[in-house]
Amino acid sequence: MKNNSNKGKMTAIFCGFLLLICSQVLAGQKIHTVYFEGEENELHVYRINGTKPGKTLLIVGGIQGDEPGGFLAADFYADFLLEKGNLIVVPRANFPSILKMERKINQDMNRKFLDDDIPNYETKVVTVLKKLICESDCFLNLHEGSGIYSTEFEDEMKNQERFGQSIIADNTVLEKTGSEENINLEQMAQIVIAKINRHIKNKEHYFHFNNHRTNDPDSIHKEQLKSATYYAYQSCKIPAFGIESAKSLPLEQKVRQHIYAINGFMEVFDIIPQTPRVDLKEPEMQYMIISVNDSIPVVVGKMQHLKINKGDTVKVLDILANYERGLSVDVIGLGNQFNDMKKKLVINESTRIEAKKDFYKCGSVFLDIDSKASKAVSLLAVSESNDTQEIRYKLIINGKTKIIDNYSHLSIRRGDKLIIEDILTGKVDPSKYIVNFKGFIGNLHNNNGEDRGYVIDTSEGSLLTRYSLKKKGRQYYVLTTLNGKEVGKIFVDIQSQANEEI
Ligand SMILES: [Zn+2]
C-alpha cells in the first residue's frame, strides 16, 4: 500500500511563490492510496477532503467490468477538489474484469459482501471496500443494468424485474439505532431522480426509484443480500444506492446520467466542489521536441543534452509539461526576449533552452556544440547530463561574451559593464541555483540575491563597498548557492582606471 499525498510536497515548494493563494488550497487535500500495488487487481482509492469539513460520499465504479457508464463517470471525480465535505472515489473496483470487459473473473464481486472468504483477489478488494463503506456517510455503487425498470409490466425489457434507469435501495427507510433519526431512502432518491430526469428528453427513459425490499421474505431480489449496498445498509447503517443506467443507451448518455446522480447526491449531502478547480502544482517541463536542420524532430528530456554542430539550425516545435497553457521557451543568448518557440535559430555556441510556464522556469535542455564530430557523420545524439557538478560562468563584459571557471578571478576595469548571463552546469538545472553578486542589488522589489541578467555597473559608487573584500571596493565576489549551500564562487577584481590612483 502506498500513499501519495499529492498536495503535500509539490504544493509546498510552489507555495513559496504564492503564499496567499496556497494557504487556501493546502487546507483541502487529495490523498491517492494504492492497494495491492503491482498486482493485477491493483486498487486505486482517492480521498478528496474539502477545505471545509462535511459529509463523506463514497463513489464506487467498475465493480463489474462490463459496465463502463459507471466507472467512466466515477473516474472524473478522482480529479475533483472540494470546497466542502469529502469524497472517497474508487473508479475501478474490479480492474481485471474491466480489462476483460466481463462482469466477473472468479466470482461476481457484488455478491461477496456477506460472509464470503473464498481466497481470491475479489475477496481482498471487497475487504477494502467494506472498510471504505463504513467510513462514509453515503455510498453510491455505479452500474449499468439490462432493460429498463418499470413499476408495471410493459414488455420483456421493461418491467419490475429490470434494473436500468433506476436508483435502487434495499428499503424505503433506513432505521438508525439509538437517538439517531431514521433516514428516508426513497425521499432522498426521489430528490436526485427529479434532478436527473430534468436532463432526459425521452420520457420512456426517465429514472425511477426501485425498492428491492432486499430483506423482505417475498423479495424478488434475494441475491442482493450479498451486495455492497446491502452491506452498507445492514452493517454500516448508511444510506446506499445502486445507480443503474440502461445498458442499451449510448455510452455518453450513460456516463452523464451517473454524473447527474453523483452531483445530485453531493447536493443532498452539501458536498460542494471547487469551481474552477485550483491546483497550483509546481510547473515542470518533461520533454522538448526539437528539429535540427529541419530534420525529423527529436524528443529531448529535461536536463538532457543534444549534440549538434556549429552553425546548425534549431527549432523548438513543442514542449510537454504538466501544464498545457502559458508555455514558452527561451534559447539563451539567441532569439527574442519573449518566446523562441517555433523559431529557427542558428546555433554557433553551446547553449541552453529554457522552458517556462508563464514566468516560472520549469526545465532546461542543453545544446552542445560537438567540435569533434565531423559534419559528414552528423548523428543527432541525446544524452543524459554528466555527473560532474562543474560550474562555469557565462559573462558579458561591455557586450563581449566570456566564459570563466568556478573559483577563478575575473579582472575588469572600473566602469566596465558586467552581465552574469548564466551559469553553465552539468546535472542540476541552472535555474535552481542562486547567483549573487555581493554588493549589487539586481531586483529592488524582490531582493532574493539572484543577479543573473542584470547590467552590473562597476563605476565608482555603484556597488556597495561594504560587501567588497576588505571593504576597499576593489575586489568583489559572486557567490553561487544551491539550496542555500555554497557551490561556487568567482572573484571580480576591479582594476583602477589609470587616473584614479593619482
Ligand atoms: Zn452491475
Side-chain angles (χ1 to χ4, degrees), residues 418-435:
L418 167 70
I419 299 170
I420 305 165
E421 192 178 83
D422 209 346
I423 54 171
L424 311 170
T425 69
K427 204 176 181 183
V428 182
D429 188 327
S431 65
K432 300 274 187 260
Y433 293 90
I434 287 179
V435 183

Side-chain angles (χ1 to χ4, degrees), residues 63-64 66-67 103 110 142-145 244 247:
I63 200 162
Q64 292 142 340
D66 57 348
E67 301 175 8
R103 181 177 178 87
N110 202 30
L142 310 183
H143 292 267
E144 285 186 23
E244 298 273 357
K247 269 199 165 86

Side-chain angles (χ1 to χ4, degrees), residues 82 102 123 128 134 159 213 239 258 266 379 384 454:
L82 297 173
E102 280 165 15
T123 302
V128 175
C134 283
N159 57 55
R213 301 188 296 110
H258 278 115
M266 283 176 68
L379 282 172
E384 294 302 324
Y454 293 98

Side-chain angles (χ1 to χ4, degrees), residues 148-352:
I148 289 176
Y149 171 75
S150 169
T151 48
E152 311 286 313
F153 184 92
E154 293 189 23
D155 58 45
E156 194 47 46
M157 291 309 281
K158 194 171 188 187
N159 57 55
Q160 302 93 319
E161 290 183 27
R162 295 293 175 182
F163 282 46
Q165 304 302 87
S166 74
I167 291 186
I168 299 170
D170 293 283
N171 207 343
T172 48
V173 173
L174 170 67
E175 283 177 24
K176 299 284 269 189
T177 47
S179 58
E180 283 186 90
E181 266 184 61
N182 292 345
I183 297 170
N184 191 326
L185 300 175
E186 175 165 9
Q187 202 177 49
M188 201 177 264
Q190 292 293 7
I191 293 169
V192 176
I193 286 167
K195 289 176 195 289
I196 302 170
N197 287 346
R198 255 185 264 153
H199 299 281
I200 296 177
K201 287 196 195 102
N202 183 350
K203 281 191 168 185
E204 295 294 308
H205 294 160
Y206 273 2
F207 265 63
H208 291 95
F209 179 64
N210 183 354
N211 179 10
H212 274 181
R213 301 188 296 110
T214 310
N215 201 26
D216 286 4
D218 62 339
S219 170
I220 56 167
H221 296 290
K222 278 298 190 194
E223 81 287 352
Q224 296 294 333
L225 287 169
K226 302 177 203 163
S227 71
T229 49
Y230 191 76
Y231 177 82
Y233 167 86
Q234 183 59 32
S235 299
C236 309
K237 301 278 180 215
I238 61 161
F241 302 91
I243 315 291
E244 298 273 357
S245 275
K247 269 199 165 86
S248 56
L249 294 175
L251 181 60
E252 190 177 327
Q253 187 180 340
K254 291 187 279 193
V255 171
R256 284 193 182 282
Q257 288 176 172
H258 278 115
I259 286 173
Y260 297 134
I262 297 166
N263 290 349
F265 279 102
M266 283 176 68
E267 263 186 63
V268 167
F269 283 90
D270 199 23
I271 298 167
I272 305 170
Q274 268 192 15
T275 46
R277 193 168 72 107
V278 178
D279 189 1
L280 297 170
K281 52 190 177 290
E282 186 185 16
E284 190 176 14
M285 184 269 285
Q286 285 116 24
Y287 299 104
M288 229 175 251
I289 298 166
I290 300 173
S291 170
V292 179
N293 299 328
D294 296 318
S295 65
I296 298 165
V298 287
V299 176
V300 189
K302 185 178 180 178
M303 296 312 292
Q304 282 189 322
H305 291 242
L306 180 63
K307 281 204 177 0
I308 56 167
N309 293 305
K310 191 174 162 84
D312 281 349
T313 64
V314 160
K315 183 165 145 183
V316 180
L317 297 170
D318 205 354
I319 55 182
L320 201 80
N322 57 354
Y323 285 85
E324 278 179 40
R325 295 180 290 276
L327 301 173
S328 71
V329 292
D330 184 10
V331 181
I332 306 295
L334 291 167
N336 69 30
Q337 57 165 316
F338 296 107
N339 190 359
D340 296 324
M341 185 76 85
K342 297 195 170 84
K343 293 199 174 61
K344 207 193 264 189
L345 299 168
V346 179
I347 312 295
N348 284 313
E349 287 181 62
S350 293
T351 184
R352 175 168 66 86

